[in-house]
Amino acid sequence: MYDRILVPVDGSDAAKRAVGYGALLAEAYGAELGLLHVLARGESGAGEDRERGEAVLAGAEALVDGRVPVDTRLLEGVPHRAVVDHVADSDVDLVVMGRRGRAGLGEGLLGSVTERVLVGVDVPVVVVPEDDPGAVPDGLSTVLLPTDGSENAEAASEHAVDLVSRFGAALHVVNVVDVQSAGGLFSAGGVTEEFVDRLDRAGAEAVERMVAAVGAADPDLDPTTAVVHGTPHEGIRDYAVEHGVDLVAMGSRGRSGIERQLFGSVAKRVLRVVDVPVLVVNGEE
Protein backbone atom coordinates (compact mmCIF):
# COMPACT_ATOMS: atom_id res chain seq x y z
CA MET A 1 0.00 0.00 0.00
CA TYR A 2 2.83 2.40 0.83
CA ASP A 3 6.00 2.27 -1.28
CA ARG A 4 7.24 5.81 -0.71
CA ILE A 5 6.76 7.58 2.60
CA LEU A 6 7.71 11.24 3.04
CA VAL A 7 8.58 13.03 6.28
CA PRO A 8 9.07 16.82 6.05
CA VAL A 9 11.60 17.85 8.74
CA ASP A 10 12.55 21.18 10.30
CA GLY A 11 14.63 20.13 13.31
CA SER A 12 11.75 20.41 15.79
CA ASP A 13 10.95 17.70 18.34
CA ALA A 14 7.63 17.05 16.60
CA ALA A 15 9.41 16.49 13.28
CA LYS A 16 11.98 14.20 14.90
CA ARG A 17 9.16 12.12 16.38
CA ALA A 18 7.51 12.03 12.94
CA VAL A 19 10.76 10.57 11.56
CA GLY A 20 10.47 7.78 14.13
CA TYR A 21 6.94 6.93 13.00
CA GLY A 22 7.91 7.28 9.36
CA ALA A 23 10.72 4.76 9.87
CA LEU A 24 8.36 2.43 11.75
CA LEU A 25 5.87 2.44 8.88
CA ALA A 26 8.52 2.26 6.17
CA GLU A 27 10.03 -0.79 7.85
CA ALA A 28 6.62 -2.49 8.09
CA TYR A 29 5.86 -1.84 4.42
CA GLY A 30 9.35 -2.28 2.97
CA ALA A 31 9.05 1.30 1.74
CA GLU A 32 11.58 4.00 0.91
CA LEU A 33 11.63 6.84 3.42
CA GLY A 34 12.02 10.35 2.05
CA LEU A 35 13.24 13.17 4.29
CA LEU A 36 12.55 16.66 3.02
CA HIS A 37 13.69 20.03 4.36
CA VAL A 38 12.49 23.24 2.73
CA LEU A 39 14.51 26.44 2.85
CA ALA A 40 11.93 29.19 3.06
CA ARG A 41 12.26 32.08 0.67
CA GLY A 42 14.89 34.48 1.91
CA GLU A 43 17.01 31.70 3.41
CA SER A 44 18.26 29.96 0.30
CA GLY A 45 20.76 32.63 -0.65
CA ALA A 46 22.84 32.26 2.48
CA GLY A 47 25.39 29.48 2.67
CA GLU A 48 24.89 29.11 6.42
CA ASP A 49 21.18 28.50 5.89
CA ARG A 50 21.90 25.70 3.44
CA GLU A 51 24.38 24.21 5.88
CA ARG A 52 21.78 24.36 8.63
CA GLY A 53 19.25 22.66 6.34
CA GLU A 54 21.73 19.94 5.47
CA ALA A 55 22.41 19.46 9.19
CA VAL A 56 18.68 19.04 9.84
CA LEU A 57 18.50 16.35 7.16
CA ALA A 58 21.62 14.61 8.46
CA GLY A 59 20.18 14.59 11.99
CA ALA A 60 16.90 13.15 10.74
CA GLU A 61 18.67 10.45 8.74
CA ALA A 62 20.70 9.52 11.82
CA LEU A 63 17.43 8.86 13.67
CA VAL A 64 16.50 6.25 11.07
CA ASP A 65 19.74 4.43 11.91
CA GLY A 66 19.86 2.45 8.68
CA ARG A 67 16.56 0.63 9.28
CA VAL A 68 15.19 1.51 5.81
CA PRO A 69 16.45 3.12 2.58
CA VAL A 70 16.47 6.91 2.93
CA ASP A 71 16.33 9.64 0.31
CA THR A 72 17.09 13.19 1.50
CA ARG A 73 16.06 16.35 -0.33
CA LEU A 74 16.82 20.02 0.32
CA LEU A 75 14.40 22.26 -1.56
CA GLU A 76 13.70 25.98 -1.71
CA GLY A 77 10.38 27.82 -1.70
CA VAL A 78 7.23 28.25 0.34
CA PRO A 79 7.32 25.26 2.74
CA HIS A 80 3.83 23.85 2.30
CA ARG A 81 3.83 24.38 -1.47
CA ALA A 82 7.21 22.70 -1.81
CA VAL A 83 5.96 19.70 0.16
CA VAL A 84 2.72 19.45 -1.84
CA ASP A 85 4.55 19.72 -5.17
CA HIS A 86 7.14 17.14 -4.12
CA VAL A 87 4.40 14.70 -3.11
CA ALA A 88 2.75 15.07 -6.51
CA ASP A 89 6.01 14.83 -8.49
CA SER A 90 7.60 11.94 -6.59
CA ASP A 91 4.78 9.38 -6.37
CA VAL A 92 4.68 9.63 -2.58
CA ASP A 93 2.03 7.31 -1.08
CA LEU A 94 1.99 8.60 2.51
CA VAL A 95 3.12 11.74 4.34
CA VAL A 96 4.11 11.67 8.01
CA MET A 97 4.60 15.02 9.73
CA GLY A 98 4.63 16.67 13.11
CA ARG A 99 1.52 18.41 14.37
CA ARG A 100 3.52 21.50 15.26
CA GLY A 101 6.80 22.53 13.71
CA ARG A 102 9.60 24.90 14.55
CA ALA A 103 7.35 27.96 14.57
CA GLY A 104 4.44 26.10 16.17
CA LEU A 105 3.79 28.36 19.14
CA GLY A 106 2.76 31.12 16.77
CA GLU A 107 0.57 28.81 14.74
CA GLY A 108 -1.72 27.35 17.38
CA LEU A 109 -1.93 23.68 18.21
CA LEU A 110 -1.94 22.56 14.59
CA GLY A 111 0.91 24.11 12.59
CA SER A 112 -0.03 26.10 9.53
CA VAL A 113 2.35 24.12 7.30
CA THR A 114 0.86 20.83 8.47
CA GLU A 115 -2.70 22.03 7.92
CA ARG A 116 -1.91 23.36 4.45
CA VAL A 117 -0.25 20.11 3.46
CA LEU A 118 -3.31 18.20 4.70
CA VAL A 119 -5.60 20.10 2.36
CA GLY A 120 -3.11 20.25 -0.50
CA VAL A 121 -2.17 16.62 -1.05
CA ASP A 122 -4.24 13.74 -2.38
CA VAL A 123 -2.51 11.05 -0.32
CA PRO A 124 -3.07 10.04 3.31
CA VAL A 125 -1.24 12.03 5.97
CA VAL A 126 -0.21 10.81 9.43
CA VAL A 127 -0.09 13.72 11.87
CA VAL A 128 2.17 13.04 14.85
CA PRO A 129 1.58 14.97 18.10
CA GLU A 130 4.30 16.66 20.13
CA ASP A 131 6.12 14.51 22.68
CA ASP A 132 9.57 13.22 23.51
CA PRO A 133 11.15 12.46 20.08
CA GLY A 134 12.14 9.07 21.44
CA ALA A 135 8.56 8.20 22.43
CA VAL A 136 7.87 6.04 19.39
CA PRO A 137 6.62 2.47 19.91
CA ASP A 138 8.14 -0.59 18.27
CA GLY A 139 4.80 -1.32 16.62
CA LEU A 140 1.06 -0.67 16.71
CA SER A 141 -1.14 -2.80 18.97
CA THR A 142 -4.50 -0.98 18.72
CA VAL A 143 -5.96 1.07 15.86
CA LEU A 144 -9.14 3.13 16.24
CA LEU A 145 -11.47 3.71 13.28
CA PRO A 146 -14.17 6.30 14.10
CA THR A 147 -17.25 6.53 11.91
CA ASP A 148 -20.25 8.78 11.44
CA GLY A 149 -21.79 6.50 8.83
CA SER A 150 -20.59 8.55 5.85
CA GLU A 151 -18.62 7.39 2.81
CA ASN A 152 -15.91 9.85 3.81
CA ALA A 153 -15.49 7.99 7.10
CA GLU A 154 -15.31 4.68 5.26
CA ALA A 155 -12.47 6.03 3.09
CA ALA A 156 -10.12 5.22 5.97
CA SER A 157 -11.26 1.62 6.41
CA GLU A 158 -8.92 0.05 3.85
CA HIS A 159 -5.91 1.83 5.33
CA ALA A 160 -6.87 0.89 8.89
CA VAL A 161 -7.34 -2.76 7.92
CA ASP A 162 -3.98 -2.86 6.16
CA LEU A 163 -2.20 -1.34 9.17
CA VAL A 164 -3.87 -3.83 11.50
CA SER A 165 -2.75 -6.67 9.25
CA ARG A 166 0.83 -5.42 9.01
CA PHE A 167 1.27 -4.95 12.73
CA GLY A 168 -0.99 -7.71 14.05
CA ALA A 169 -2.99 -5.03 15.85
CA ALA A 170 -6.53 -4.97 17.23
CA LEU A 171 -9.11 -2.83 15.45
CA HIS A 172 -11.78 -0.78 17.23
CA VAL A 173 -14.72 0.84 15.41
CA VAL A 174 -16.58 3.55 17.30
CA ASN A 175 -19.37 6.02 16.71
CA VAL A 176 -19.78 9.06 18.95
CA VAL A 177 -23.36 10.19 19.55
CA ASP A 178 -23.56 13.91 20.25
CA VAL A 179 -26.89 14.05 22.11
CA GLN A 180 -26.65 17.73 23.01
CA SER A 181 -25.95 18.84 19.44
CA ALA A 182 -28.65 16.61 17.97
CA GLY A 183 -31.20 17.79 20.53
CA GLY A 184 -30.37 21.45 20.17
CA LEU A 185 -28.53 23.56 22.71
CA PHE A 186 -31.63 25.42 23.75
CA SER A 187 -34.26 22.69 23.84
CA ALA A 188 -36.52 23.71 26.73
CA GLY A 189 -37.52 20.28 27.91
CA GLY A 190 -34.31 18.42 27.26
CA VAL A 191 -34.31 15.23 25.23
CA THR A 192 -36.43 12.17 25.74
CA GLU A 193 -35.16 8.65 26.31
CA GLU A 194 -36.81 7.66 23.05
CA PHE A 195 -34.83 10.37 21.24
CA VAL A 196 -31.55 9.14 22.73
CA ASP A 197 -32.42 5.55 21.84
CA ARG A 198 -33.03 6.62 18.25
CA LEU A 199 -29.61 8.32 18.13
CA ASP A 200 -27.98 5.22 19.60
CA ARG A 201 -29.61 3.02 16.97
CA ALA A 202 -28.36 5.32 14.22
CA GLY A 203 -24.89 5.15 15.77
CA ALA A 204 -25.03 1.37 15.86
CA GLU A 205 -26.08 1.30 12.20
CA ALA A 206 -23.11 3.53 11.32
CA VAL A 207 -20.80 1.14 13.14
CA GLU A 208 -22.35 -1.83 11.32
CA ARG A 209 -21.74 -0.17 7.95
CA MET A 210 -18.10 0.42 8.85
CA VAL A 211 -17.72 -3.17 10.05
CA ALA A 212 -19.12 -4.28 6.68
CA ALA A 213 -16.52 -2.12 4.91
CA VAL A 214 -13.82 -3.65 7.10
CA GLY A 215 -15.13 -7.13 6.32
CA ALA A 216 -14.97 -6.41 2.59
CA ALA A 217 -11.27 -5.65 2.99
CA ASP A 218 -10.52 -8.55 5.37
CA PRO A 219 -13.30 -11.05 6.16
CA ASP A 220 -11.27 -12.54 9.02
CA LEU A 221 -11.16 -9.35 11.08
CA ASP A 222 -13.47 -9.11 14.08
CA PRO A 223 -13.34 -5.49 15.27
CA THR A 224 -14.31 -4.34 18.74
CA THR A 225 -17.28 -1.99 18.38
CA ALA A 226 -18.80 0.73 20.52
CA VAL A 227 -21.28 3.61 20.51
CA VAL A 228 -20.37 6.32 23.02
CA HIS A 229 -21.80 9.71 23.95
CA GLY A 230 -20.11 13.11 23.79
CA THR A 231 -18.84 15.63 21.30
CA PRO A 232 -17.17 13.73 18.45
CA HIS A 233 -13.58 14.87 18.93
CA GLU A 234 -13.70 14.53 22.72
CA GLY A 235 -15.39 11.14 22.47
CA ILE A 236 -12.67 9.90 20.13
CA ARG A 237 -9.97 11.32 22.41
CA ASP A 238 -11.45 9.73 25.54
CA TYR A 239 -11.96 6.36 23.84
CA ALA A 240 -8.37 6.40 22.59
CA VAL A 241 -7.07 7.04 26.10
CA GLU A 242 -9.30 4.45 27.76
CA HIS A 243 -8.42 1.67 25.31
CA GLY A 244 -4.71 2.39 24.82
CA VAL A 245 -5.07 3.25 21.14
CA ASP A 246 -1.78 3.70 19.24
CA LEU A 247 -3.18 5.31 16.10
CA VAL A 248 -6.48 6.80 14.94
CA ALA A 249 -7.44 6.36 11.27
CA MET A 250 -10.21 8.57 9.96
CA GLY A 251 -11.59 10.07 6.80
CA SER A 252 -11.75 13.76 6.11
CA ARG A 253 -14.24 15.62 4.00
CA GLY A 254 -14.12 15.81 0.21
CA ARG A 255 -11.58 17.55 -1.97
CA SER A 256 -13.50 20.40 -3.54
CA GLY A 257 -14.75 23.87 -2.71
CA ILE A 258 -14.89 24.97 0.91
CA GLU A 259 -14.35 21.36 2.01
CA ARG A 260 -10.87 21.49 0.49
CA GLN A 261 -10.04 24.46 2.69
CA LEU A 262 -11.73 23.12 5.82
CA PHE A 263 -10.73 19.49 5.64
CA GLY A 264 -13.41 18.45 8.08
CA SER A 265 -14.26 20.04 11.39
CA VAL A 266 -14.21 16.75 13.30
CA ALA A 267 -10.91 15.62 11.80
CA LYS A 268 -9.41 19.03 12.49
CA ARG A 269 -10.52 18.98 16.13
CA VAL A 270 -9.35 15.41 16.63
CA LEU A 271 -5.90 16.40 15.39
CA ARG A 272 -5.77 19.12 18.02
CA VAL A 273 -6.73 17.01 21.03
CA VAL A 274 -5.68 13.39 20.46
CA ASP A 275 -2.24 12.48 21.83
CA VAL A 276 -1.51 9.66 19.38
CA PRO A 277 -0.81 9.83 15.64
CA VAL A 278 -3.84 10.36 13.42
CA LEU A 279 -3.99 9.01 9.89
CA VAL A 280 -6.19 11.30 7.79
CA VAL A 281 -7.51 9.82 4.56
CA ASN A 282 -9.12 12.16 2.06
CA GLY A 283 -12.72 11.35 1.26
CA GLU A 284 -14.08 11.33 -2.28
CA GLU A 285 -16.91 13.53 -3.49
Side-chain angles (χ1 to χ4, degrees), residues 242-256:
E242 181 180 352
H243 294 272
V245 168
D246 297 306
L247 180 140
V248 177
M250 62 188 303
S252 72
R253 290 187 180 180
R255 306 297 298 160
S256 62

Side-chain angles (χ1 to χ4, degrees), residues 1-280:
M1 177 167 280
Y2 309 129
D3 295 320
R4 293 185 179 179
I5 298 173
L6 178 68
V7 184
V9 295
D10 62 2
S12 67
D13 283 350
K16 291 176 183 177
R17 192 163 183 245
V19 171
Y21 275 99
L24 173 69
L25 292 167
E27 195 169 28
Y29 282 89
E32 177 186 81
L33 183 64
L35 303 175
L36 172 64
H37 180 73
V38 181
L39 295 171
R41 286 177 178 171
E43 293 182 338
S44 56
E48 61 184 27
D49 290 320
R50 294 193 66 84
E51 290 178 5
R52 186 161 53 248
E54 290 168 355
V56 168
L57 286 170
E61 186 172 6
L63 293 173
V64 179
D65 196 28
R67 293 163 57 189
V68 294
V70 174
D71 174 64
T72 60
R73 299 291 178 94
L74 184 64
L75 301 181
E76 304 171 7
V78 178
H80 73 276
R81 291 177 186 168
V83 173
V84 170
D85 290 345
H86 182 74
V87 168
D89 295 341
S90 303
D91 295 325
V92 169
D93 302 303
L94 179 72
V95 178
V96 183
M97 59 193 308
R99 184 163 69 184
R100 183 168 65 188
R102 192 173 54 186
L105 290 176
E107 297 169 350
L109 291 178
L110 186 62
S112 63
V113 173
T114 300
E115 186 167 327
R116 289 169 181 172
V117 169
L118 274 162
V119 300
V121 299
D122 291 319
V123 300
V125 179
V126 177
V127 180
V128 178
E130 310 88 291
D131 203 337
D132 177 354
V136 177
D138 295 329
L140 303 176
S141 61
T142 307
V143 173
L144 175 59
L145 183 59
T147 181
D148 61 2
S150 68
E151 292 183 3
N152 286 328
E154 291 177 10
S157 62
E158 183 180 355
H159 294 266
V161 168
D162 201 70
L163 284 166
V164 165
S165 175
R166 296 275 174 170
F167 287 97
L171 181 64
H172 289 234
V173 177
V174 65
N175 172 267
V176 183
V177 173
D178 190 345
V179 176
Q180 184 178 47
S181 177
L185 292 176
F186 304 103
S187 56
V191 294
T192 65
E193 184 175 342
E194 180 183 0
F195 179 77
V196 174
D197 287 344
R198 188 160 64 246
L199 294 177
D200 286 343
R201 286 196 298 272
E205 289 171 1
V207 167
E208 288 173 5
R209 284 196 294 273
M210 182 63 88
V211 169
V214 167
D218 185 345
D220 294 328
L221 270 183
D222 184 20
T224 298
T225 61
V227 175
V228 300
H229 289 185
T231 57
H233 63 288
E234 291 175 341
I236 291 168
R237 177 199 62 197
D238 294 345
Y239 190 94
V241 171
E242 181 180 352
H243 294 272
V245 168
D246 297 306
L247 180 140
V248 177
M250 62 188 303
S252 72
R253 290 187 180 180
R255 306 297 298 160
S256 62
I258 190 65
E259 291 185 339
R260 187 175 179 89
Q261 299 173 38
L262 302 175
F263 56 86
S265 60
V266 173
K268 189 171 183 177
R269 289 170 181 167
V270 167
L271 289 170
R272 293 178 186 272
V273 302
V274 171
D275 289 330
V276 296
V278 179
L279 169 66
V280 180

